[in-house]
Every structure is written in C-alpha cells, then in structure tokens.
Amino acid sequence: MADTEHKIEIPQEVFRLYDAYCHGDLSRRDFFSKLSTYAVGGLTVSALAACVMPDYGRAQTAEGEAGIIEETVTYASPNGAGEMAGYLVRPAKATGKLAGIVVVHENRGLNPYIRDVVRRCAKAGYVAFGPDALHPLGGYPGNDDDGRELQAKRGREEMFADFMAAAEFLRDHPYTNGKIACTGFCFGGAITNLMAVHQPWLKASVPYYGGWPPVEDAAKVEVPLQIHLASEDPRVNEGWPPYEAALKAAGKVYEMHWYEGTQHGFHNDTTPRYDPAAAALAWTRTLDFFAKHLA
C-alpha cells in the first residue's frame, strides 16, 4: 500500500518488480527497464522509481536525541567474521540491568531504517543491538544498492554465525540481565527464524516476513515465536503453510499475524510499501510480546 504522502497510485506489479530488485532477482538495469512498462500518462521511469526507493529522512527517531545512549561497539564472532561491529543503544535513565533485543537488518546492511528500529527498542526500555553484517567489508556504505552488492559477497552461514554471536554478546553484556529476544525484517526475519531454532535460550523471536528454516527444524524450536506476514508477499508466504504444519505437528506454540492488503516491507516507513496502520499494530504486538517474555 502506498504511503498517503505519495500522490501516484503504484501498480501492484511495480511493487513486485521492486521486491525482485531488492532481493537480487533483477539487476538495477533490468529493474529500470521493466519499470518503463508502467511509466504512462506523463509519468517518467525516474519518477516511478523515486516512488518506491527509500527515503531515509522519514525516520521516527533521530540519532543523538535525548533519552538514549548510543555506541558503536565491536564483538567477537569466532565462527563468523572474527571481529564484528554493531549499534548499541540503551535508555539513558535506566537503573540496573535490562533485557536486550537484537535487531537483524535486511539484505543491505545496517541502514538508517534498521538503526531507527534499534532506537525504538531502546526507547521502549531495552538494551538494543543492531549488528552490521557489512562490518568486515567496511560497514554499511551509505546507500542500499551498494549495501546489497556488498552483502551478496558474504557467505550466509558466516553471517548467521555473526548474528548468533551478537545475541551471545548481548546476553553476556554488563548492561543486560541475560534475557534476550530478537526481531528482524526480510533477510533479518529469516535469520530470526533460524536463531529460534539454534539458540533455544532466547526468550522470544519476532520475524517479519522472513524465509523459513527447513521444515524438519520446526521440532527444534523452543523459543516463543510471533510471526508477521504481509498478504501481498507470495515469495515468503508460499513457505509458511508447510512450516506451520511442521510447527503444529511438533506441538509448538506460536503466533502468526496476517496483514491484509499489505506489501512485503510494510513495517519500513521509508518506502511506499509502508502501511502505517499495519506497522503500528505489528509493532504494538511486538512490544507486548517482548514485555510478556522478557519480564
């Protein structure tokens, strides 16, 4: 669903093209070439592309704002990159140790949207940590196109080890009480699903429109799951029925929330895929789930 600030009605096919482009199934050249089909009625390809590209000036929180303490920290990832780094944010007036939340980014590194989500978690009363899988390659490069290219150069298994190491780093950090949850978006949602399989000590896992572990791994899940899915997201949604069946067969308890009429990425308020109502509801559910399991 297009954001209300955009006056152009974006065809569903354009969202599908953007999704394919974001996930590496279309090159930038092919994306712009295919957009030309929908550039009609005086609408240029450039104008149409601008409608679906992110605008990071629309963040809900700002770096350096009052009430939070922000740090860039490094941590060890012996089974991954060796040394990793991330964005650690905590409430400024916290007394005592707090629960922690790992926020796993999309397939383009620790971009401004994910940093914003980290700050939102901190403002909700948690020690929040956003690892940057691009740290071994110099960190998030300042734009998503280059970020996607860089992240594609890293091995998925190594990156997964980096995110698991991030959860362990946060669990053992002096700011936290050892109770750790995770959430993630798209690629990060898939990683969050996998963390629920491989890190049974986590207190909660909240994946947003992420891919699924192998169905045989559903029986290993001991972490409370809250899953968020967009209705207009066939690439992710086709894997849900078999994974849900495996969770049910194993007697696992989970929540799945379905958001009708929304696009993949509906929580991301920097693109026209953002759905304000669905995003607000999903985030309220997420924070309620954290509060329940991190108490």
Side-chain angles (χ1 to χ4, degrees), residues 31-48:
F31 171 61
F32 277 86
S33 175
K34 291 180 180 294
L35 277 184
S36 64
T37 303
Y38 305 98
V40 296
L43 180 64
T44 66
V45 170
S46 296
L48 191 57

Side-chain angles (χ1 to χ4, degrees), residues 134 137-141 145-154:
L134 301 187
L137 302 175
Y140 176 71
D145 283 346
D146 291 340
R148 270 190 296 272
E149 290 183 12
L150 284 176
Q151 191 158 319
K153 295 178 180 179
R154 294 211 58 206

Side-chain angles (χ1 to χ4, degrees), residues 23 103-107 114 156 160 163 182-196 205-213 225-229 236 243 264:
H23 294 93
V103 181
V104 186
H105 60 66
E106 305 145 307
N107 68 335
I114 297 297
R156 189 180 180 93
F160 179 49
F163 288 113
C182 61
T183 189
F185 306 84
C186 187
F187 164 84
I191 294 295
T192 301
N193 271 318
L194 284 170
M195 289 168 72
S205 178
V206 182
Y208 280 69
Y209 32 78
W212 311 103
L225 282 172
Q226 184 184 75
I227 297 160
H228 300 276
L229 296 177
V236 168
Y243 195 65
H264 178 96

Side-chain angles (χ1 to χ4, degrees), residues 116-130:
D116 182 19
V117 175
V118 174
R119 292 191 295 273
R120 293 182 217 175
C121 291
K123 290 175 76 70
Y126 300 101
V127 179
F129 189 47

Side-chain angles (χ1 to χ4, degrees), residues 201-226:
W201 53 267
L202 288 168
K203 298 301 182 184
S205 178
V206 182
Y208 280 69
Y209 32 78
W212 311 103
V215 291
E216 58 269 22
D217 283 351
K220 302 175 185 177
V221 174
E222 302 297 336
V223 179
L225 282 172
Q226 184 184 75

Side-chain angles (χ1 to χ4, degrees), residues 165-177:
E168 292 163 1
F169 164 78
L170 194 58
R171 177 192 63 193
D172 300 335
H173 199 284
Y175 294 155
T176 73
N177 59 17

Side-chain angles (χ1 to χ4, degrees), residues 18 39 46 56-57 66 82 130-131 144 159 178 180 189 200 219 223 239-240 254 275:
Y18 181 66
S46 296
Y56 288 132
D144 283 7
M159 285 191 288
I180 306 300
V223 179
W240 170 239
Y254 64 91
D275 187 298

Side-chain angles (χ1 to χ4, degrees), residues 215 218-219 225 240-254 256:
V215 291
L225 282 172
W240 170 239
Y243 195 65
E244 181 181 34
L247 288 170
K248 287 182 175 179
K252 302 302 178 180
V253 178
Y254 64 91
M256 190 279 281

